[in-house]
Amino acid sequence: MFRDKAHSITDKWVDTLAPALLGDKPLTMEEISSLFEEKKTELLSALVTDFIGVHHQEVLEQQSAACPECGRSCKCRRQTSRRIESRQGSSKLERPYFLCPDCKIGFSPLDETLQLSGRQKQYDLQRLALDYIAEMPYAKASELFAKSTGISFSENTLHDFLANFTKDITLEEILPSVEEIVQRIAHVKGSAKRRPVLVVATDGAHLPTRPLPGRKGKRGPGEYKEAKGFRLYLLGSGNKIVQLVSWHQIQDADECAAALKVVAARIPTDQVRIALVGDGAPWVWRAMTEAFPEGREVLDYFHCSEHIHALASSQYADEPVKALQWIEATMARLYYGEVSHVIGGLKRMQPKKADAKEDIRKLIGYLGNNAHRIDYEHHRRGGYAIGSGGIESANKFICHVRMKRSGAWWLKENGNGMLALRCAMVNGTLDDAFKRYVALDQQNRFRLGTKS
Ligand SMILES: [Zn+2]
């Protein structure tokens, strides 16, 4: 039955295509492709609509149906039509509509059978949209979405869709499962004798945010807020990095610390050696040592080296060779854990300028506070990480690439929704999160009725 219908649909479609194909000039591949591209969804959506009609004929002809809420048998009221969009184009569905007199719920069994989304755009398009909006500004995402699917998804609708998708998403949902984590650890360990190193790196990245518009619709001034977050990764052979978990949100230090504890509960700590890597900020160390008391604290080598460079450039501003020599000697001492030796040298150092005096005092404090985290040679021999390049690149990849764009100022909720989406993407959990979203959407679907 479908075969006959499909043939007649295709015949009609070829007729609409014919004038363009039968011109005087032979067509190039590019011209042929663009002609078919233009008409492609017309054919596919007609086929899809007809296939549904044949495949679900019984549902379309049914005269009574059970209310999805109370189970009462209801009579068909009338035929209603509804437009749906999928990757195969736009289809208009004519189907019977029922109303439960007890629950006042209107429903269409066809929608239930097809497990349609309450939105006009069906789940395949919604899933694709997430891939686009995770990577680029809404305007660009909307443009490329239309180009690749032939279906328009406006900037505003994309925006609302993401807000809806992420509004109930929790940290637990975007973390890999315990089984998955155990599997990744075993994979990295391979046949090695030593347990692999798990790097826990915590940091903040500044993001442009703005407050909610006031009552008169005026935007308040924007400000940079810190997206605090962490990344956990395994060090594989050849220093290959195997991602476990990333989580960044515009949040305070306590919220970040609480989130890290949730992650720690999923880590089989007896199967890894743990390196806690961070810069000098006290909240970072508090969060990490509370979540992983057994971890080894490592002051990020690059941050440490930045502090050394900063003093060199104020103390030896006019003597670049001397500056370089001092940096190299100091970093070598720090590498071998000779922190007290370096501090002794700083105490004897004669400041050449007024601001160098203050810089020396600060560096002494910084090295003194972090002395137990600086034994790099020892860390390295143990196979631990000494730099948090991993968190720096996570910040860049998760936060900056998508969120620091000219003119983009984020409301906290929207910014956190976007961060959650990008974290799910790098954690490899976006497909699972989407499945849960679909299941939830299905539970509420008959209440949404014909909402577009
Ligand atoms: Zn009912």
Side-chain angles (χ1 to χ4, degrees):
M1 224 176 130
F2 175 61
R3 182 187 295 270
D4 293 343
K5 288 197 164 188
H7 281 151
S8 90
I9 288 170
T10 315
D11 280 346
K12 273 188 211 150
W13 181 74
V14 172
D15 288 342
T16 69
L17 204 61
L21 294 177
L22 298 173
D24 304 329
K25 228 173 71 210
L27 298 169
T28 65
M29 185 61 218
E30 200 184 348
E31 288 163 340
I32 295 170
S33 176
S34 93
L35 275 172
F36 276 79
E37 178 67 28
E38 237 171 69
K39 299 272 183 184
K40 183 166 74 175
T41 50
E42 277 175 31
L43 173 67
L44 288 171
S45 60
L47 288 173
V48 164
T49 312
D50 255 72
F51 179 77
I52 292 171
V54 173
H55 191 67
H56 291 300
Q57 194 182 358
E58 274 177 34
V59 182
L60 286 164
E61 286 170 356
Q62 98 193 66
Q63 289 306 309
S64 65
C67 164
E69 190 81 324
C70 70
R72 171 181 168 159
S73 171
C74 310
K75 278 213 156 57
C76 174
R77 296 285 173 127
R78 55 189 148 96
Q79 295 284 314
T80 53
S81 71
R82 172 178 175 197
R83 184 156 293 283
I84 57 163
E85 291 171 318
S86 73
R87 292 189 77 155
Q88 316 317 324
S90 170
S91 310
K92 197 172 161 193
L93 299 180
E94 301 280 348
R95 77 275 197 254
Y97 174 80
F98 298 78
L99 185 74
C100 175
D102 293 343
C103 309
K104 314 281 182 247
I105 284 174
F107 62 98
S108 289
L110 181 71
D111 298 21
E112 314 272 315
T113 307
L114 289 173
Q115 299 190 5
L116 293 184
S117 166
R119 289 171 175 264
Q120 182 161 313
K121 291 192 173 51
Q122 295 306 301
Y123 297 124
D124 58 348
L125 291 177
Q126 295 178 24
R127 179 65 187 82
L128 181 68
L130 288 179
D131 285 341
Y132 276 112
I133 49 188
E135 296 291 353
M136 59 191 81
Y138 289 103
K140 192 77 193 164
S142 173
E143 181 194 327
L144 290 187
F145 189 90
K147 247 186 197 172
S148 64
T149 61
I151 302 242
S152 124
F153 210 146
S154 78
E155 229 180 297
N156 277 339
T157 327
L158 280 173
H159 202 277
D160 293 346
F161 167 60
L162 181 66
N164 187 47
F165 176 73
T166 54
K167 79 175 162 16
D168 299 318
I169 218 166
T170 64
L171 166 63
E172 280 87 347
E173 285 174 345
I174 66 141
L175 296 180
S177 65
V178 174
E179 296 75 30
E180 176 63 31
I181 288 172
V182 167
Q183 206 179 349
R184 287 186 209 175
I185 291 171
H187 177 76
V188 168
K189 184 171 185 291
S191 56
K193 282 203 183 104
R194 284 206 294 191
R195 291 166 293 155
V197 170
L198 169 70
V199 178
V200 180
T202 305
D203 203 349
H206 284 91
L207 291 181
T209 67
R210 64 181 170 92
L212 273 168
R215 252 178 300 164
K216 287 176 183 167
K218 271 192 190 166
R219 275 188 179 191
E223 58 169 330
Y224 273 82
K225 277 194 182 152
E226 203 175 29
K228 293 183 169 65
F230 45 78
R231 182 180 183 204
L232 278 69
Y233 57 91
L234 296 160
L235 285 186
S237 58
N239 281 333
K240 220 181 101 198
I241 281 178
V242 176
Q243 166 77 7
L244 274 191
V245 173
S246 279
W247 180 246
H248 294 257
Q249 292 280 280
I250 301 165
Q251 60 185 349
D252 64 30
D254 288 342
E255 289 169 308
C256 184
L260 191 53
K261 279 185 192 161
V262 171
V263 176
R266 292 207 184 184
I267 304 290
T269 46
D270 56 331
Q271 294 174 28
V272 284
R273 291 175 294 146
I274 299 169
L276 309 175
V277 181
D279 65 8
W283 72 267
V284 160
W285 296 109
R286 189 166 47 81
M288 291 196 290
T289 50
E290 277 176 18
F292 295 98
E294 63 280 79
R296 183 193 290 207
E297 295 173 50
V298 180
L299 181 68
D300 175 59
Y301 188 81
F302 302 106
H303 276 103
C304 179
S305 144
E306 263 172 26
H307 282 85
I308 304 299
H309 276 82
L311 178 60
S313 58
S314 63
Q315 171 76 356
Y316 303 110
D318 309 318
E319 302 162 281
V321 177
K322 222 171 173 181
L324 191 64
Q325 281 172 348
W326 182 77
I327 290 168
E328 286 184 340
T330 306
M331 288 314 292
R333 290 230 158 91
L334 291 178
Y335 186 81
Y336 286 103
E338 297 174 9
V339 185
S340 56
H341 199 129
V342 171
I343 291 177
L346 286 169
K347 283 181 176 163
R348 289 189 301 275
M349 189 179 256
Q350 294 300 318
K352 303 223 167 143
K353 286 178 182 169
D355 56 344
K357 188 177 177 184
E358 178 59 12
D359 289 343
I360 292 169
R361 193 189 62 78
K362 274 194 207 155
L363 187 57
I364 290 172
Y366 174 79
L367 293 175
N369 289 337
N370 290 292
H372 62 294
R373 302 173 179 135
I374 293 183
D375 198 353
Y376 293 120
E377 204 267 342
H378 183 67
H379 297 322
R380 183 153 269 186
R381 246 188 296 128
Y384 289 84
I386 62 170
S388 65
I391 187 82
E392 298 283 322
S393 65
N395 273 338
K396 190 157 183 248
F397 181 71
I398 290 181
C399 305
H400 295 171
V401 168
R402 174 69 182 86
M403 302 187 68
K404 270 192 175 176
R405 301 218 176 215
S406 61
W409 293 86
W410 297 83
L411 286 176
K412 186 181 168 189
E413 291 72 29
N414 295 341
N416 280 343
M418 177 59 74
L419 287 168
L421 172 67
R422 290 182 64 80
C423 289
M425 196 173 71
V426 298
N427 292 345
T429 53
L430 183 54
D431 281 329
D432 287 341
F434 191 75
K435 271 184 208 152
R436 270 189 301 272
Y437 155 82
V438 169
L440 206 65
D441 194 47
Q442 285 293 298
Q443 280 174 24
N444 300 324
R445 118 193 122 219
F446 56 83
R447 290 199 185 82
L448 294 170
T450 50
K451 188 184 144 208
S452 61

